[in-house]
Amino acid sequence: MSQPSSAVDRLLVDESGRRPRADARRNLERLVEAARIAVAEVGVGVSAHAIADRAGVGVGTFYRRIPSLQVLLETVLDEILDEIANVADRALEDPDPWHGLCVFAAAYVRLRAESCGVSEALGGACGDALAQRLTELRGRIRRLVERAQAAGAMRTDIIWQDVPFLLAAAATGEHTLGMQASDKQWERNLHIILDGLRPTPPSTLPGAAPA
């Protein structure tokens, strides 16, 4: 039997096979959405109380709807990683291997830059819980890189294992050395990195330089 596609559906799986009440599903939907936002803003260390408050429900409702905080966080992160895997799969179908790699890289770095929790999860903060997801994502990145190299669109002296570190480096913080990043800083960083991977002249950088 296939796994339910959304975090809400996964959390609603009931061994009895009974359909949940409408109000139970609504509460669960609010908790999942609140968890996604909290994970992005706070990270994987967010508390059940903080998620419940953001969802507008009591912590008692939280534990009636959710087996545990850990299960909720892992399910939400699994859903997000499934979304980025789908981006990679579409990129692998792009007839232009370099364009496919760039589209994936932009989505991946944006996600790391905008979600503290996803960045932590990709760094291994969730231990073995998401290990299979990370293994699958590594495989997709490897295929994207090797496909671009085979097409002559990417330097071949760089191994695919370099690329995840380079993409992680593009998602920087807002401040460094007393300087303020521009609102497109991660995009500028990514363009510089992608230009460094190309065997061709560099492209025009987006956005303004850091202040």
Side-chain angles (χ1 to χ4, degrees), residues 6-169:
S6 73
V8 172
D9 289 334
R10 294 173 198 179
L11 290 166
L12 279 172
V13 170
D14 186 339
E15 291 181 359
S16 68
R18 293 176 298 179
R19 297 184 63 181
R21 300 192 316 271
D23 61 332
R25 184 179 182 94
R26 284 194 298 271
N27 283 337
L28 187 54
E29 288 171 346
R30 285 197 290 267
L31 286 165
V32 167
E33 180 60 25
R36 283 187 68 125
I37 296 171
V39 162
E41 294 179 356
V42 179
V44 296
V46 66
S47 69
H49 283 82
I51 294 172
D53 286 345
R54 189 182 290 271
V57 302
V59 72
T61 298
F62 178 100
Y63 283 111
R64 281 195 298 274
R65 302 276 72 88
I66 305 293
S68 70
L69 173 62
Q70 181 178 355
V71 167
L72 174 60
L73 295 180
E74 290 173 1
T75 304
V76 166
L77 288 166
D78 188 70
E79 179 183 55
I80 295 171
L81 292 179
D82 189 47
E83 292 166 2
I84 197 65
N86 288 336
V87 173
D89 289 339
R90 291 193 296 273
L92 285 166
E93 295 173 356
D94 194 315
D96 182 335
W98 178 251
H99 181 262
L101 176 61
C102 290
V103 168
F104 168 77
Y108 182 81
V109 176
R110 178 189 293 277
L111 184 61
R112 292 199 69 133
E114 296 180 351
S115 178
C116 177
V118 170
S119 185
E120 291 171 346
L122 290 170
C126 295
D128 294 335
L130 299 174
Q132 183 59 36
R133 280 293 189 191
L134 300 186
T135 297
E136 293 167 356
L137 187 55
R138 286 196 299 273
R140 287 172 167 89
I141 293 174
R142 177 174 185 167
R143 292 197 298 276
L144 284 166
V145 169
E146 292 178 346
R147 187 168 174 258
Q149 289 174 324
M154 179 178 163
R155 290 166 50 180
T156 56
D157 59 323
I158 295 171
I159 61 173
W160 75 266
Q161 291 96 329
D162 288 321
V163 175
F165 287 99
L166 294 171
L167 297 183

Side-chain angles (χ1 to χ4, degrees), residues 166-194:
L166 294 171
L167 297 183
T172 56
E174 294 182 359
H175 302 89
T176 187
L177 297 175
M179 297 182 292
Q180 171 70 46
S182 74
D183 59 353
K184 289 183 176 289
Q185 191 63 51
W186 71 263
E187 292 184 65
R188 289 175 62 84
N189 296 345
L190 179 59
H191 267 70
I192 293 169
I193 289 168
L194 291 175

